[in-house]
């Protein structure tokens, strides 16, 4: 037994008892969207941003938002408070609902809403000290990567390729330009500048996207979003990876070769320290 209590369509129940009909369009078509919200010491981090992205994803796939903001706040706090892990992440999924199998949107269905809290187990200190390794692959996903869709087969295959290669993440390129990782965004440091791929339909704009810009500003690191050629990624001084559950990690190996010095670099150290402060785990820097 997991001892997890989850939310499903208005009810709070043990994870093992939560059931969805097989005709749910999430199961049949991958027709739904999701969010992953980190929680530190019982406080959701950037929840307003996650909620805004959830609403954008719903609107982009034409699912009527089943709750107002207060309703979402309530679900989030209820699933959180039922567990005593101080640091958690809350997974929220909304599918179009249950209907006879037909591709087009069914009329009059109620979306399925599921929310689950899990313990947030961050990467170990050793992974930050050494840095992680990534592989690269062509980005073979669809062209609406800006939607946080539960249709994740392309991402699943990319991550599996990384696992089989003994790496932590697979970073993808489309037409020779960087897009993102299978479940993370990638950042490139060149000449002491922090670079990221443009906010467009080819990537999921992480909630850490805006945050990285703020942290870079706080640390006095020039920040720029633009198309980044594959060669620039391989010639980077540092590579950083960000996501809700990995925070900001240094990448020290790419396709088996070293990134820059082969060690976590100074830009990562500054940004990571600023991330810890932003999540309330270290005192803010005076001044
Ligand atoms: N993934 N790009 C993709 C494809 C992602 O799946 C994620 C997050 C990100 C980073 O977004 P954020 O900073 O909001 O976590 C970028 C989550 C963690 C997941 O699927 O588990």
């Amino acid at each position: 037994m997991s001892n997890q209590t989850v939310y499903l369509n208005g009810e709070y129940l043990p994870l093992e008892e939560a059931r969805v009909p097989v005709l749910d369009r999430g199961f049949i078509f991958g027709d739904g969207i999701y969010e992953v919200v980190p929680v530190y010491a019982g406080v959701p981090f950037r929840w307003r941003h996650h909620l805004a992205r959830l609403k954008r994803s719903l609107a982009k796939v034409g699912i009527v938002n089943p709750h107002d903001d207060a309703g979402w706040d309530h679900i989030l706090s209820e699933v959180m408070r039922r567990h005593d892990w101080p640091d958690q992440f809350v997974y929220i999924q909304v599918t179009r609902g249950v209907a006879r199998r037909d591709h087009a949107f069914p009329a009059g269905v109620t979306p399925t809403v599921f929310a689950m809290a899990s313990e947030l187990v961050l990467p170990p200190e050793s992974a930050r000290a050494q840095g992680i390794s990534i592989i690269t692959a062509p980005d073979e996903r669809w062209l609406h990567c800006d939607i946080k869709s539960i249709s994740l087969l392309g991402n699943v295959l990319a991550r599996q390729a990384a696992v089989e290669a003994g790496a932590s993440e697979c970073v993808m390129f489309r037409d020779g330009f960087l897009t993102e990782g299978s479940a993370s965004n990638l950042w490139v440091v060149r000449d002491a500048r922090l670079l990221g791929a443009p906010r467009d339909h080819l990537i999921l704009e992480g909630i850490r996207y805006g945050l990285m810009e703020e942290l870079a500003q706080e640390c006095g690191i020039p920040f720029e979003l633009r198309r980044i050629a594959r060669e620039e990624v391989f010639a980077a001084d540092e590579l950083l990876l960000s996501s809700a559950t990995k925070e900001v990690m240094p990448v020290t190996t790419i396709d088996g070769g070293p990134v820059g010095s082969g060690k976590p670099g100074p830009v990562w150290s500054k940004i990571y320290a600023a991330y810890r402060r932003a999540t309330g785990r270290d005192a803010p820097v005076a001044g």
Side-chain angles (χ1 to χ4, degrees):
M1 287 288 279
S2 67
N3 285 331
Q4 266 166 296
T5 301
V6 301
Y7 170 92
L8 181 63
N9 297 331
E11 275 189 279
Y12 294 90
L13 67 179
L15 175 62
E16 288 76 10
E17 289 172 25
R19 296 272 183 279
V20 179
V22 289
L23 285 182
D24 191 280
R25 290 176 60 101
F27 181 60
I28 296 283
F29 292 121
D31 183 0
I33 61 93
Y34 76 106
E35 270 303 321
V36 176
V37 186
V39 176
Y40 293 95
V43 182
F45 184 57
R46 298 222 150 193
W47 165 233
R48 290 285 143 216
H49 295 75
H50 282 278
L51 182 55
R53 186 172 65 183
L54 180 129
K55 292 194 281 187
R56 281 200 304 275
S57 294
L58 286 172
K60 284 177 182 178
V61 301
I63 296 178
V64 177
N65 183 358
H67 295 292
D68 59 15
D69 287 6
W72 285 117
D73 291 351
H74 186 71
I75 293 169
L76 181 83
S77 55
E78 285 297 311
V79 290
M80 267 169 36
R81 76 166 187 84
R82 285 173 152 81
H83 305 93
D84 35 69
W85 307 300
D87 298 341
Q88 312 180 3
F89 65 95
V90 178
Y91 176 85
I92 302 173
Q93 173 172 315
V94 183
T95 76
R96 202 177 301 280
V98 180
R100 186 177 61 82
R101 185 178 181 279
D102 180 16
H103 290 64
F105 298 177
V109 289
T110 306
T112 299
V113 179
F114 171 63
M116 168 177 69
S118 303
E119 186 176 12
L120 179 62
V121 181
L122 294 168
E125 180 51 38
S126 57
R128 278 188 297 275
Q130 279 169 26
I132 57 169
S133 66
I134 61 173
I135 59 160
T136 65
D139 194 335
E140 292 171 342
R141 300 173 303 161
W142 71 333
L143 294 172
H144 293 291
C145 298
D146 52 319
I147 301 171
K148 201 161 171 63
S149 160
I150 61 167
S151 303
L152 286 172
L153 194 50
N155 306 60
V156 165
L157 296 178
R159 175 59 69 83
Q160 183 58 23
V163 168
E164 285 171 15
S168 300
E169 179 58 301
C170 176
V171 164
M172 297 172 280
F173 294 85
R174 199 185 284 272
D175 302 327
F177 290 94
L178 172 67
T179 56
E180 60 182 341
S182 71
S184 58
N185 294 118
L186 189 81
W187 305 90
V188 176
V189 178
R190 294 205 72 188
D191 306 325
R193 300 171 75 77
L194 187 58
L195 310 175
R199 291 182 166 99
D200 60 18
H201 63 289
L202 299 179
I203 62 153
L204 179 78
E205 182 189 333
I207 299 307
R208 268 124 292 280
Y209 238 73
L211 180 62
M212 289 293 273
E213 185 165 6
E214 289 170 30
L215 300 181
Q217 204 162 25
E218 185 188 319
C219 298
I221 299 165
F223 178 90
E224 194 186 344
L225 298 183
R226 62 162 170 82
R227 276 157 67 86
I228 302 168
R230 184 179 167 86
E231 300 71 52
E232 292 186 274
V233 173
F234 279 81
D237 300 321
E238 296 178 43
L239 296 176
L240 280 52
L241 183 148
S242 69
S243 83
T245 48
K246 299 285 188 301
E247 304 186 320
V248 188
M249 294 297 292
V251 176
T252 48
T253 306
I254 182 166
D255 283 345
V259 176
S261 69
K263 297 200 178 76
V267 170
W268 171 76
S269 310
K270 284 189 200 138
I271 294 279
Y272 179 66
Y275 195 100
R276 286 188 63 94
R277 290 194 294 274
T279 52
R281 286 169 297 162
D282 291 307
V285 175

